Amino acid sequence: MPSTFSPVPSGLAASPFAAPFAAQLPRILEIIRESGALVMDHWRKPRNIRLKGRIDLVTETDLAVEAFLKDRLKDVVPGATFMAEESATSRTPQGTCWIIDPIDGTTNFAHSLPFVATSVGLWHEGRVVLGVVNAPVLGECFWAVRGGGAFCNGEPLRVSDREPLEQAVVATGFPYTISEDVDTVLARLRKALVTTRGVRRCGAAAIDLAFVASGRFDAFYEADLKPWDTAAGWLLVEEAGGCVTGFDGAPYDFTNEGILASNGRVHEAMRAVLAL
């Protein structure tokens, strides 16, 4: 398997436009590389799965990767707190806070589907300033620092320039509350299917957002996501030149009904699709 990491572009940490903690990026990437090796070790073994809800799964890998990241990252930014999926008691980050999804795409992982990622965002002074989405099975690591651009395996990312919406490929996901919200989900999906070139579903929001940042998808929308699903990918899209809002166009801040991320060119058209 090819390495998922390339050297950090020279001069990034010294850039006057880069966010606080950019200097720690190489260390953060190394820690996340090691967590990816843990994911791959578990990938080759039988899964130990339990239910958190009717269709919401957790595996021993989720727990092991979360524990590993919390242990290793705690000394990178002294005093930073953690909001991690399997142990979070709040969905509102405060101060300086690591926002972690150890395995985004747990259902994919449980079924040996390769769209699996670890998402790590660093929240500071009211915004995400650093984000990493590592997809070890795919062999790709996406990362960004605020003011420093977005990258995949060390290569710079840029959102697509595709428009109009009828030429766009759009990604979406379905909430764990699908049985209660199926009518709303299907109403939006129907509009997306007939107004775009196609709709895709990876089953991992962090990967969907990374694919928007890389220009593979032209837009992504999903309702009822949590901060650990979107923190890192949100920054990736913005640093790659894209746009991220709520469904109604309001600034995205983890409290919106849903997230809409796009290349910017199809954003207003997608807002119309999502309006009910």
Side-chain angles (χ1 to χ4, degrees):
M1 178 180 298
S3 170
T4 60
F5 288 82
S6 297
V8 176
S10 61
L12 174 62
S15 168
F17 304 105
F21 314 116
Q24 283 84 357
L25 181 63
R27 185 178 176 191
I28 294 165
L29 290 176
E30 177 63 20
I31 291 169
I32 295 173
R33 182 194 66 80
E34 293 175 9
S35 77
L38 180 60
V39 172
M40 293 307 301
D41 179 59
H42 285 222
W43 180 261
R44 301 180 184 97
K45 297 177 180 178
R47 279 39 167 186
N48 184 356
I49 304 164
R50 64 178 175 85
L51 290 173
K52 294 192 291 185
R54 185 181 69 85
I55 56 174
D56 191 1
L57 310 180
V58 64
T59 71
E60 62 183 9
T61 309
D62 294 83
L63 301 174
V65 172
E66 180 171 311
F68 175 87
L69 289 171
K70 290 173 74 173
D71 179 66
R72 293 295 302 278
L73 290 172
K74 69 179 187 298
D75 297 324
V76 175
V77 180
T81 59
F82 287 90
M83 177 191 294
E85 179 178 13
E86 305 306 332
S87 57
T89 58
S90 170
R91 296 179 184 174
T92 305
Q94 301 290 337
T96 303
C97 179
W98 294 104
I99 305 176
I100 298 172
D101 192 340
I103 300 289
D104 188 29
T106 298
T107 300
N108 288 344
F109 182 85
H111 290 265
S112 298
L113 298 170
F115 295 107
V116 172
T118 296
S119 176
V120 177
L122 183 60
W123 182 266
H124 179 66
E125 295 183 348
R127 60 183 185 172
V128 183
V129 295
L130 184 150
V132 181
V133 173
N134 185 35
V137 186
L138 299 178
E140 293 188 313
C141 181
F142 304 82
W143 52 265
V145 294
R146 187 168 294 279
F151 301 83
C152 177
N153 293 355
E155 297 297 322
L157 297 180
R158 191 69 187 172
V159 295
S160 74
D161 60 2
R162 201 168 289 113
E163 60 178 332
L165 189 59
E166 65 184 15
Q167 297 182 17
V169 173
V170 174
T172 191
F174 306 138
Y176 288 120
T177 58
I178 187 66
S179 58
E180 296 90 351
D181 298 327
V182 65
D183 291 339
T184 299
V185 169
L186 289 178
R188 288 184 169 127
L189 180 60
R190 183 182 188 281
K191 292 169 71 176
L193 286 168
V194 300
T195 56
T196 68
R197 176 166 286 168
V199 177
R200 302 291 182 265
R201 187 196 180 205
C202 289
I207 290 179
D208 290 319
L209 289 163
F211 282 8
V212 173
S214 63
R216 299 172 189 176
F217 293 149
D218 305 300
F220 164 70
Y221 74 92
E222 186 170 350
D224 197 32
L225 291 172
K226 310 302 186 295
W228 44 84
D229 298 313
T230 62
W234 173 14
L235 182 62
L236 282 171
V237 173
E238 291 189 338
E239 285 297 319
C243 180
V244 181
T245 69
F247 285 176
D248 60 357
Y252 184 69
D253 64 1
F254 300 140
T255 65
N256 313 74
E257 175 192 0
I259 186 171
L260 170 60
S262 81
N263 63 6
R265 296 172 180 262
V266 299
H267 206 85
E268 289 304 310
M270 278 302 303
R271 281 185 56 196
V273 167
L274 299 176
L276 295 176

